[in-house]
Amino acid sequence: MAYDVGVVGAGFGGLAAAAELSKQGKNVIVFEASNELGGSAGKYERNGYRFQSGATVGMGFEEGGVFDTLFKSLQLQKPPMTLLNPIMDIHMPDRTIHYYREKKEWYQEIERNFPESASSIQAFYDEVFYVGQLVDQLLDRVPVFPPKTPTDWTRLVSMVNPTSVRLLPYLNQTVYDRLKKYHLHEHELFRIFLNGELMDSVQTSVEYCPAFLGYAALQTFHKGAYAVHGGLATVAEQLADYVKSCGNEVLLRYPIHHIEKKHGHFHLHSKRNSIFEVEKLVLNHSVHNLPDTLSEDLMKQSYIHPEKENNREAWGAFIIHAGVDERVFQHTDVSYHQFIAPDHPDDLHDGGQFLLSLSAPEDIRMAPEGKRSLTISTHTDVKQWWDADDYEQKKEEMKDRLIDTVEHYFPGFKEGLDIVLPGTPVTFQKWLRRRDGKVGGYAPTGRYSWLNSYSIRSGIKDVYLCGDTVFPGAGTLGVTLSGLMAARELLR
């Protein structure tokens, strides 16, 4: 039996694609190498706690958002969630900034923290919201980018209108360039704050972030950020259940080791010498992994050059999952915290800045009574973690560095910790099959770096890509959009 479509990887991109294809009546089979759904936004359970593998903040559930639209299309009920306001607290060396969702409250917070530059920063954010709305209007039409076929180019040209033309000044500048307009490029404190938000969302700093991309990310926080009860894995489970309700299959612990094409069908080799035949493919297991999966003949047909891919820089993540006594955070109602290390605020990785997310006190699925589940995550250079001689020492030092920083801002944190489980890029390769432990796609490297994106087109007939390594990029919103794009192109 040959399936209509095989989807490799049950991250958010693969599950969104599978759900969309299932809705359209396609015979779909989904393969996931691990025993959990959601990929880098999945979960696992240990000692009565549920831990979120990576991404923790829910975006796109507001009216008209990506997940709101998808759930309505599939006639699914959104899971219970809490709208965050403030979104998070940013703990800087000399102050804590409350990052409010509502524009009025946020502008008041700007006046409180940056009184001498408040009007300039508010004007900058006026521009952020303006450009973010322009980007949203274009993404509603979900273009294939970068264009690879005459049809792609035709669709892109058709999108040239007064709205898209207004975006032109922001397509060839960085966020840093735009800061110059408001005389903010030398405002050290605001730059440190902004770098923290951009590292969280776009994986880079103001100097290297294309303006339109950074603006789209910054305004997304203010559209609606949510704590999804049970974690984002709850959303992945709903999408998988929908796929199965349509009579299709979602197989866990089924890694795809090799893909080749024979007699007009793709042959997917999995465990115990099992082989599955599919007519078309959606690959959600990252561009990093393609050379290890596709046959030599298929790889030659693709747009991906293995040597170039291996040398392309991408971040990894150092992560700590832990349980903590709820009394440690009893004096704050905020569940999401960003920490700027007091002794090295300009470092954007390896503990210089990092995020801590706490489960909601009322979310009993995440932690035992009186406890809260937490995830700490910082960007890290993947190369340093593959030296076996001092691996354990490095892991222990990084764990202590992060915990010490939280202790600095929340005295009693160390004493209140229960279970503590650190993870490195080595962990991400082992459990999520991310080659070299690379996660989060590719960091922008300058004003025109967005032109180097991979599109959903692989270059191989009937093979489509989705996930954080293709346009529109990382984050649950980006990967979900790419999955929907891949499904819709496949259906054309």
Side-chain angles (χ1 to χ4, degrees):
M1 171 187 174
Y3 296 85
D4 294 334
V5 187
V7 178
V8 179
F12 272 69
L15 290 172
E20 181 70 14
L21 293 165
S22 298
K23 186 182 77 169
Q24 299 300 329
K26 294 296 182 181
N27 184 13
V28 180
I29 183 168
V30 181
F31 302 92
E32 170 54 44
S34 74
N35 61 353
E36 295 286 353
L37 300 163
S40 296
K43 56 86 176 169
Y44 69 95
E45 296 178 359
R46 193 75 54 85
N47 291 17
Y49 291 95
R50 172 180 284 198
F51 298 117
Q52 302 192 69
S53 300
T56 55
V57 181
M59 303 283 197
F61 293 99
E62 72 280 357
E63 184 69 29
V66 172
F67 285 107
D68 177 70
T69 302
L70 177 60
F71 270 58
K72 286 177 179 174
S73 170
L74 302 177
Q75 297 183 323
L76 295 177
Q77 185 73 33
K78 287 186 286 190
M81 61 186 72
T82 302
L83 178 62
L84 304 173
N85 192 43
I87 304 159
M88 68 176 79
D89 277 354
I90 295 102
H91 304 279
M92 303 184 76
D94 65 343
R95 71 194 67 199
T96 293
I97 298 175
H98 307 298
Y99 198 17
Y100 287 102
R101 179 181 68 89
E102 295 291 345
K103 181 178 178 180
K104 181 179 178 181
E105 291 175 289
W106 175 229
Y107 280 17
Q108 289 173 346
E109 186 70 2
I110 288 171
E111 290 175 0
R112 185 176 74 85
N113 284 281
F114 309 102
E116 75 291 349
S117 305
S119 60
S120 296
I121 295 174
Q122 290 166 355
F124 169 77
Y125 267 92
D126 285 341
E127 185 173 275
V128 166
F129 295 136
Y130 167 73
V131 174
Q133 288 177 346
L134 296 180
V135 174
D136 285 347
Q137 291 174 38
L138 291 182
L139 283 180
D140 283 343
R141 299 171 65 180
V142 198
V144 174
F145 186 86
K148 292 291 185 182
T149 68
T151 302
D152 294 345
W153 280 105
T154 300
R155 288 191 210 138
L156 202 61
V157 170
S158 72
M159 296 175 70
V160 176
N161 55 41
T163 296
S164 57
V165 168
R166 289 199 295 272
L167 266 178
L168 289 177
Y170 310 97
L171 297 177
N172 64 356
Q173 296 185 63
T174 63
V175 173
Y176 184 80
D177 294 330
R178 300 306 302 170
L179 287 174
K180 291 180 181 178
K181 175 184 175 182
Y182 301 99
H183 307 289
L184 293 170
H185 58 294
E186 294 181 347
H187 193 307
E188 183 178 7
L189 189 63
F190 183 62
R191 181 179 54 78
I192 289 172
F193 161 77
L194 211 55
N195 279 341
E197 305 323 301
L198 290 175
M199 277 298 289
D200 177 33
S201 55
V202 195
Q203 328 295 323
T204 194
S205 63
V206 295
E207 291 85 357
Y208 302 106
C209 185
F212 81 97
L213 190 62
Y215 283 8
L218 289 171
Q219 64 106 26
T220 296
F221 285 109
H222 298 272
K223 289 164 63 178
Y226 298 82
V228 179
H229 297 186
L232 287 173
T234 303
V235 178
E237 290 164 355
Q238 286 182 277
L239 293 175
D241 287 343
Y242 177 84
V243 172
K244 290 185 280 189
S245 74
C246 295
N248 290 322
E249 298 179 66
V250 178
L251 304 181
L252 299 179
R253 296 181 294 278
Y254 264 81
I256 298 300
H257 303 300
H258 184 66
I259 299 173
E260 59 185 343
K261 193 167 188 180
K262 288 183 177 180
H263 313 300
H265 287 153
F266 295 99
H267 289 225
L268 280 61
H269 297 253
S270 188
K271 62 183 183 181
R272 294 193 291 273
N273 297 318
S274 55
I275 300 175
F276 298 84
E277 292 185 33
V278 303
E279 294 182 7
K280 299 186 179 185
L281 272 173
V282 176
L283 302 180
N284 180 221
H285 65 329
S286 99
V287 168
H288 308 309
N289 294 69
L290 292 189
D292 299 328
T293 310
L294 296 179
S295 69
E296 185 177 349
D297 180 56
L298 289 175
M299 201 65 211
K300 286 179 180 177
Q301 300 173 42
S302 78
Y303 295 130
I304 313 301
H305 300 286
E307 187 174 341
K308 177 183 175 183
E309 167 59 29
N310 288 340
N311 294 326
R312 195 169 176 181
E313 293 292 332
W315 289 112
F318 185 96
I319 200 161
I320 296 174
H321 292 124
V324 67
D325 191 307
E326 65 179 5
R327 289 173 294 184
V328 174
F329 293 92
Q330 64 182 329
H331 298 302
T332 176
D333 295 327
V334 178
S335 294
Y336 293 84
H337 300 264
Q338 185 176 53
F339 295 90
I340 310 297
D343 53 341
H344 36 78
D346 283 317
D347 291 348
L348 298 177
H349 54 87
D350 291 301
Q353 75 87 24
F354 61 92
L355 292 174
L356 182 151
S357 62
L358 289 162
S359 62
E362 67 274 13
D363 192 349
I364 60 174
R365 283 185 291 179
M366 297 296 289
E369 186 177 355
K371 304 286 186 180
R372 298 174 75 174
S373 166
L374 68 85
T375 299
I376 294 174
S377 179
T378 185
H379 291 77
T380 188
D381 180 359
V382 296
K383 295 175 184 175
Q384 65 181 306
W385 297 102
W386 295 96
D387 185 347
D389 291 339
D390 63 351
Y391 173 78
E392 290 298 334
Q393 179 184 339
K394 278 185 178 177
K395 185 166 73 169
E396 192 68 16
E397 288 174 352
M398 183 66 75
K399 182 197 75 173
D400 290 344
R401 182 181 186 184
L402 297 175
I403 289 175
D404 286 346
T405 298
V406 180
E407 175 74 21
H408 174 81
Y409 292 105
F410 287 94
F413 177 68
K414 284 185 182 179
E415 186 179 344
L417 286 171
D418 188 2
I419 182 174
V420 178
L421 303 170
T424 72
V426 177
T427 314
F428 277 87
Q429 176 170 285
K430 179 179 180 180
W431 295 108
L432 296 181
R433 310 298 176 100
R434 301 293 299 234
R435 188 178 187 185
D436 298 328
K438 297 176 181 177
V439 292
Y442 299 104
T445 55
R447 65 187 65 182
Y448 298 118
S449 55
W450 55 279
L451 294 171
N452 297 323
S453 301
Y454 291 120
S455 86
I456 60 167
R457 299 198 188 280
S458 67
I460 308 166
K461 188 176 185 298
D462 295 328
V463 178
Y464 299 85
L465 308 175
C466 65
D468 58 10
T469 48
V470 304
F471 178 84
T476 51
L477 287 186
V479 300
T480 300
L481 275 171
S482 66
L484 293 173
M485 291 164 62
R488 289 163 188 170
E489 284 303 306
L490 184 152
L491 289 165
R492 287 184 187 274

